[in-house]
Amino acid sequence: MNKIFGVIGGDRRQAELAQLLAGDGHAVRTYGLDRWKGIGPDTLDRAAAADVVILPLPLCRGDGVLNCEEGAVPTADLFRRLRPGQRILAGQVRPRQREEAEALGLTVEDYFLREDLAVANAAATAEGAVQTAMEHLDRTLLGLDCLVIGFGRIGKLLSCRLHGLGARVTATARKPEDLAWIRAYGYQALETGRLDGHLSAFGAVFNTVPSPVLGAPLLRQLPEDCLLMDLASVRGIEAAEGKTLWARSLPGRLSPRTAAAAIRDAVYYILLEE
């Protein structure tokens, strides 16, 4: 596989990804990553001319703006620099950006739709959530009552890690089969939509559901010193001044090398499957 890779935008994951690809012997051009040591800057046009263009996870930081810390790059402007037939890969591609690309004859492949990458990302997120919680708590997780809202990939892995550290874990789900699995793992189970009256004992709450689940009435039922951490891409916990940590993109901040390796492997699999 002798290709030129263009790695454009993103956080430290993308910087580590560029280094991993270069370490594998590939020619790599980058844009928007020169703040990290060892990443030489290229122009946007030069990086966009590569055989394979790898855009960040998530693709957008704002409405129609590329997730890039070096400056505001509208995705429509970026796509005009690309050409049909290029392999263009990105994570969490929104419908608007897919439409922008298709209007120019481009195909953007969403590497985050791969289950192997989603699971690896969930594992790194769960580990990062535990690390962040330990940094903000004045107590140990051992014996602490913890609530994990949602039992998807992150909820499953986070519940497992908290349980392994001795926390008393309660997990929530909407589907009866997921509630059955929660009990089978040895955790307490609650229905996500029926939390009223069951929140008074928790010392930490971790939300993984990307929709409103904890509003002001439910928040008032939690202890004053309860740690609130929102891991979802869309806030599920109503903003509470000084109380809620919106811990997005934990892999990119806390384990970028591992997260980058998972993205690299997903990219290689995609290219080998063509």
Side-chain angles (χ1 to χ4, degrees), residues 229-263:
M229 189 181 305
D230 209 329
L231 302 170
S233 56
V234 177
R235 284 186 184 271
I237 301 176
E238 185 174 301
E241 186 67 29
K243 292 188 64 175
T244 305
L245 299 173
W246 196 17
R248 298 183 67 191
S249 300
L250 287 179
R253 292 193 283 114
L254 300 180
S255 53
R257 188 77 170 182
T258 297
I263 294 174

Side-chain angles (χ1 to χ4, degrees), residues 91-135:
Q92 292 183 335
V93 182
R94 299 176 182 175
R96 173 181 168 183
Q97 276 62 51
R98 194 173 298 281
E99 292 169 2
E100 288 177 350
E102 290 175 350
L104 296 168
L106 306 174
T107 299
V108 179
E109 301 172 72
D110 194 332
Y111 54 72
F112 199 59
L113 294 178
R114 294 186 61 90
E115 183 68 10
D116 50 338
L117 178 55
V119 170
N121 186 78
T125 299
E127 186 172 317
V130 170
Q131 176 182 335
T132 304
M134 294 174 72
E135 290 172 351

Side-chain angles (χ1 to χ4, degrees), residues 2-272:
N2 186 18
K3 297 182 183 293
I4 300 173
F5 287 87
V7 182
I8 299 174
D11 52 25
R12 192 177 165 192
R13 275 176 294 195
Q14 289 282 90
E16 296 285 355
L17 173 61
Q19 292 181 328
L20 289 173
L21 292 169
D24 288 343
H26 300 293
V28 181
R29 302 170 182 171
T30 66
Y31 176 79
L33 301 173
D34 47 300
R35 63 172 292 189
W36 284 282
K37 184 178 180 181
I39 304 296
D42 282 293
T43 65
L44 179 56
D45 285 332
R46 180 172 162 79
D51 302 317
V52 180
V53 174
I54 306 176
L55 303 176
L57 169 66
L59 171 61
C60 292
R61 182 171 57 184
D63 186 19
V65 178
L66 181 71
N67 177 12
C68 182
E69 298 189 10
E70 297 301 320
V73 179
T75 52
D77 179 57
L78 170 63
F79 291 152
R80 282 192 291 269
R81 300 167 188 263
L82 304 175
R83 63 184 186 275
Q86 261 179 311
R87 297 305 294 270
I88 306 167
L89 311 176
Q92 292 183 335
V93 182
R94 299 176 182 175
R96 173 181 168 183
Q97 276 62 51
R98 194 173 298 281
E99 292 169 2
E100 288 177 350
E102 290 175 350
L104 296 168
L106 306 174
T107 299
V108 179
E109 301 172 72
D110 194 332
Y111 54 72
F112 199 59
L113 294 178
R114 294 186 61 90
E115 183 68 10
D116 50 338
L117 178 55
V119 170
N121 186 78
T125 299
E127 186 172 317
V130 170
Q131 176 182 335
T132 304
M134 294 174 72
E135 290 172 351
H136 286 83
L137 285 167
D138 58 3
R139 296 161 284 174
T140 64
L141 289 169
L142 177 64
L144 185 68
D145 285 294
C146 295
L147 176 65
V148 178
I149 302 176
F151 207 62
R153 300 183 193 94
I154 295 173
K156 288 183 176 73
L157 292 166
L158 178 55
S159 296
C160 177
R161 280 151 177 74
L162 292 169
H163 182 73
L165 290 168
R168 293 192 290 265
V169 177
T170 298
T172 85
R174 299 184 188 278
K175 298 178 182 178
E177 55 265 36
D178 289 332
L179 292 167
W181 275 111
I182 291 170
R183 298 185 187 99
Y185 280 118
Y187 318 138
Q188 296 298 308
L190 287 174
E191 291 188 41
T192 303
R194 298 184 177 181
L195 299 178
D196 190 15
H198 299 283
L199 298 172
S200 61
F202 293 112
V205 174
F206 304 85
N207 176 59
T208 70
V209 177
S211 60
V213 288
L214 280 185
L218 291 179
L219 289 172
R220 285 194 289 268
Q221 297 179 27
L222 291 164
E224 183 65 27
D225 59 351
C226 178
L227 174 68
L228 300 172
M229 189 181 305
D230 209 329
L231 302 170
S233 56
V234 177
R235 284 186 184 271
I237 301 176
E238 185 174 301
E241 186 67 29
K243 292 188 64 175
T244 305
L245 299 173
W246 196 17
R248 298 183 67 191
S249 300
L250 287 179
R253 292 193 283 114
L254 300 180
S255 53
R257 188 77 170 182
T258 297
I263 294 174
R264 176 200 58 186
D265 293 346
V267 169
Y268 285 170
Y269 284 131
I270 290 170
L271 296 180
L272 288 172

